[in-house]
Structures are given as structure tokens and as C-alpha cells.
Amino acid sequence: MTSPVRILGIDPGLRRTGWGLITAQGSKLTYGACGVVTSDGDLPLALRLRELFEGIGRIVESQQPDEVAVEETFVNKDAQATLKLGHARAMALVVPALAGLPVFEYAANLIKKTVAGSGHAEKVQIQAMVRFLLPKAEFRVADAADALAIAITHASHRDSHALRKAHMQAGKRRSLTGQAAAGQGLEGKGFSAAAAARIEAALAKQG
């Protein structure tokens, strides 16, 4: 049995930043908590960012996550809106980084594909799948549901990150036989030998 890992998902937004905490232990996911951090739209940008910084800081301190996952910025035709979102995302990245936590980033289409099976899934589909995967989840706004989806995505991709890091540190490709052996060596640490070998093979092709 692998050790439980507390994962905090963050869905950045200048007006509302959603957050969601889950615990992953092997393939089992357990709902922890979720909510939103808001900023006052009547305040100057600098003060709104301070509100987000402090709010996210309180969440990190109270929820004590082991790892953090943040959605990447979606660039649209409204450059001003994209820039504001980028400011909010910076707060979501820097706060856990200052707390010494590992932070991972995921594209929106990957999150949708991981949770709902389609990179073009609608929000209602995402929410339905979050409720299915986390039956005890309670959220009132889409931002919190999105944050839980981000956390779920990270839980599904944690092994690939760990194997990629090991691959980069090794500094060379392994043979397919070596990849299988590496998978077996990681099996007792929460990795499936078959999954490890498969991911290693994909990484080797990327070279």
C-alpha cells in the first residue's frame, strides 16, 4: 500500500480562485475540502493580488498539502483578460513554492480529457465526473469543482512526473529490458512495473 498524498488543486482567477484538496493513495481518491479565494473588484490590481496571495497562503497553511497542481493559462483573444489571469496564476504558483511545496502545471484540455475523457468536455460534464469520482465532494461554484478536477488530474499523472525526473537524472536511455527492470524496482514504491516500463519507453522515444 502506498503512502497517502494530499494534493491541492488550484484554478486561478483574478475574481475567484478555486481550490480543492484530495488525498490519493494508490488508485483511491478521497475528497478533503474545497472552496474559493476571492478578491475585491473595486480595489487596485496590486491590492487584489495581495488578497489572492494571502488567501491562498491561508489555504496552504490550513490544508497542509504535499503537492500542488495549477491549471495553465488559457490564452484567448482578450489580451487584457489573459494578462489578468496570468497575474492570478502567478499567485497560485508562488505561494506554494514559497512554502517549499512541489508545484505542477496542467493544460485545460488535459484536465478535461483526464477527468471526463474528452479535451472538449463542458463544465457540467466536469462537475458530474468530479461528483462521480469524489462522491463526498461538496462544491457550490464551478471554480471549486474545476480545482478538484485539477487535483484529480495530478493524481492520475504523478507517476509520469516521477519517472520523467528519474529518467532525466539518469541522463541516458534505457533498453526495453532496462525499462522493465526499472519498473520492477519501483513497484514496491507505488509504481506498477508495467506502467513504469510503458512510461519509460515513451520518455525514451522523446529522447
Side-chain angles (χ1 to χ4, degrees):
M1 180 67 71
T2 59
S3 300
V5 178
R6 293 168 65 83
I7 301 171
L8 177 66
I10 301 179
D11 179 36
L14 184 57
R15 188 162 65 96
R16 285 194 305 265
T17 286
W19 64 271
L21 184 85
I22 67 172
T23 298
Q25 186 166 18
S27 60
K28 181 181 178 181
L29 302 179
T30 305
Y31 169 71
C34 68
V36 294
V37 175
T38 61
S39 71
D40 187 343
D42 293 329
L43 292 177
L45 177 60
L47 295 182
R48 296 183 70 181
L49 293 177
R50 187 181 72 177
E51 287 185 330
L52 293 181
F53 182 93
E54 294 174 345
I56 297 171
R58 288 191 294 270
I59 298 304
V60 169
E61 184 176 1
S62 64
Q63 300 301 324
Q64 293 293 300
D66 299 306
E67 299 172 0
V68 177
V70 180
E71 183 175 350
E72 292 181 351
T73 300
F74 175 76
V75 179
N76 55 38
K77 294 181 180 180
D78 188 341
Q80 191 67 20
T82 300
L83 184 59
K84 289 181 178 179
L85 177 58
H87 290 318
R89 204 172 79 90
M91 299 301 100
L93 293 171
V94 73
V95 171
L98 287 173
L101 298 171
V103 183
F104 302 85
E105 302 175 65
Y106 295 94
N109 61 346
L110 177 60
I111 295 167
K112 293 177 180 179
K113 186 173 183 179
T114 301
V115 176
S118 170
H120 301 287
E122 301 292 336
K123 281 189 176 293
V124 64
Q125 294 173 284
I126 298 296
Q127 293 175 27
M129 285 306 300
V130 168
R131 287 193 172 94
F132 175 77
L133 295 169
L134 303 170
K136 295 184 178 180
E138 299 179 357
F139 49 85
R140 297 180 180 179
V141 294
D143 305 271
D146 289 343
L148 288 170
I150 295 165
I152 292 170
T153 299
H154 179 58
S156 299
H157 292 272
R158 290 185 70 247
D159 285 4
S160 64
H161 284 294
L163 288 170
R164 180 179 293 275
K165 181 178 180 181
H167 176 81
M168 292 177 66
Q169 289 175 341
K172 60 180 180 180
R173 297 184 182 183
R174 294 191 182 98
S175 66
L176 291 177
T177 301
Q179 291 160 10
Q184 292 168 1
L186 290 170
E187 189 173 7
K189 301 179 182 179
F191 297 98
S192 159
R198 186 170 61 252
I199 296 170
E200 282 281 5
L203 290 172
K205 288 181 180 179
Q206 295 176 9

